[in-house]
């Protein structure tokens, strides 16, 4: 889906200019990512019904490339698997042991899943 400049600006601000997945501030270069992936095979788009504004979120370059064509649950699993691989590695074990990295067993929760759960500081809640 080709976004207009206005649609792209609106999408970028969907989560206050932050990546939907990691929450980092988006720079000038960022991607419009399909939450539910579309696939392109030999130039043909599979799941073209998913190519709509409602299925797009702003994503930083690293998150979008890392997510690739994964759906949310597969991407969550990929990140969790990476965390476990890191802990099994000698470097990971050493960094944890030295207190330089804290490894949490918390579930993987994406930025957009927690966005606006807590009212911003100074905001009134009803």
């Amino acid at each position: 889906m080709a976004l207009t400049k206005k649609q792209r600006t609106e999408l970028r601000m969907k989560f206050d200019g932050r990546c939907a997945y990691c929450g980092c501030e988006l720079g000038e270069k960022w991607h419009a990512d399909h939450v539910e992936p579309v696939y392109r095979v030999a130039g043909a788009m599979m799941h073209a019904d998913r190519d709509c504004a409602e299925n797009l979120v702003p994503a930083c370059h690293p998150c979008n490339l890392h997510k690739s064509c994964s759906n949310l649950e597969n991407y969550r699993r990929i990140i969790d698997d990476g965390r476990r691989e890191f802990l099994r590695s000698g470097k990971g074990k050493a960094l944890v042991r030295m207190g330089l990295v804290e490894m949490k067993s918390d579930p993987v929760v994406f930025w957009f899943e927690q966005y606006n759960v807590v009212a911003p500081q100074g905001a009134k809640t009803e």
Side-chain angles (χ1 to χ4, degrees), residues 86-101:
F86 177 78
L87 277 178
R88 285 192 301 264
S89 75
K91 288 179 183 178
K93 288 177 185 176
L95 290 170
V96 170
R97 201 172 47 250
M98 292 175 188
L100 297 170
V101 172

Side-chain angles (χ1 to χ4, degrees), residues 33-106:
D33 181 60
H34 293 91
V35 177
E36 288 298 319
V38 298
Y39 306 92
R40 289 177 178 82
V41 178
M45 183 183 293
M46 304 290 151
H47 304 293
D49 58 309
R50 297 177 183 172
D51 191 29
C52 59
E54 296 78 29
N55 188 37
L56 293 175
V57 294
C60 67
H61 186 77
C63 281
N64 190 29
L65 294 179
H66 192 233
K67 180 179 175 274
S68 185
C69 289
S70 298
N71 65 28
L72 286 180
E73 291 316 306
N74 282 341
Y75 188 37
R76 195 181 316 274
R77 182 189 47 76
I78 289 166
I79 292 170
D80 201 37
D81 288 350
R83 174 170 47 186
R84 282 194 295 275
E85 283 177 31
F86 177 78
L87 277 178
R88 285 192 301 264
S89 75
K91 288 179 183 178
K93 288 177 185 176
L95 290 170
V96 170
R97 201 172 47 250
M98 292 175 188
L100 297 170
V101 172
E102 179 185 353
M103 198 54 69
K104 299 179 179 182
S105 60
D106 299 348

